[in-house]
Amino acid sequence: MARHLYSCPMRWSDMDAFGHVNNVVFIRYLEEARIDFMFRLAPGADSPSFSGGSVVARHEIDYKLPLVHRHEPVDVELWVTKIGAAALTIAYEIKDEDQVYVRASTIIVPYDLQAGRPRRITAEEKSFLLAYMDDAEALAA
């Protein structure tokens, strides 16, 4: 299984009054990594995959350790744990080599913006996502 690695820059304003990255900012880090994964790595330059829109149906976040501002980026590693007909689940770790700050997952629903409703995952999208599917989850499916 391949994992997508996004090197996320940190901003001084990411910290809160308690001197660590605010919990809401972690959701932004997840979003940046997810957008980088789904749009920049989408199959084919002229491919419509993932460009029609998507919505977040659910976030789950486990905060493991506080993260404080620094000049070096933090790594966001992501992979796919589930692919359904009209939804997928992405898992993440926000980490350094030896520390995990956050473990999270997001359920994404592809969305047809013009029609104003969810849509099915295309064959091209599924093929792309399968390369990032967790091996244990793929065997179970």
Side-chain angles (χ1 to χ4, degrees):
M1 157 193 67
R3 290 194 176 191
H4 178 64
L5 185 62
Y6 177 71
S7 185
C8 188
M10 298 177 69
R11 295 158 294 274
W12 179 256
S13 61
D14 293 348
M15 291 198 312
D16 60 19
F18 299 109
H20 56 74
V21 172
N22 185 275
N23 62 334
V24 173
V25 173
F26 282 110
I27 293 175
R28 288 189 200 122
Y29 293 172
L30 301 178
E31 177 186 54
E32 287 182 32
R34 186 174 62 253
I35 296 303
D36 185 66
F37 172 67
M38 294 179 77
F39 289 94
R40 233 173 32 101
L41 296 181
D46 296 323
S47 171
S49 290
F50 302 118
S51 62
S54 61
V55 294
V56 170
R58 178 181 177 89
H59 280 303
E60 272 187 42
I61 301 175
D62 292 321
Y63 300 96
K64 300 297 185 182
L65 291 170
L67 177 62
V68 296
H69 179 267
R70 65 202 188 188
H71 295 291
E72 299 80 33
V74 67
D75 290 332
V76 183
E77 190 172 302
L78 69 84
W79 62 97
V80 177
T81 59
K82 185 176 181 182
I83 304 170
L88 64 122
T89 304
I90 295 175
Y92 316 79
E93 286 184 342
I94 297 177
K95 64 184 200 171
D96 292 322
E97 276 188 37
D98 57 343
Q99 298 287 339
V100 174
Y101 303 103
V102 166
R103 286 197 175 100
S105 66
T106 303
I107 297 175
I108 303 292
V109 176
Y111 199 79
D112 183 331
L113 295 171
Q114 290 182 339
R117 65 174 186 254
R119 65 171 178 80
R120 297 178 75 75
I121 293 173
T122 67
E124 182 181 33
E125 290 166 339
K126 185 174 182 178
S127 175
F128 171 77
L129 294 168
L130 282 170
Y132 295 90
M133 183 85 170
D134 181 284
D135 294 335
E137 299 291 335
L139 289 174

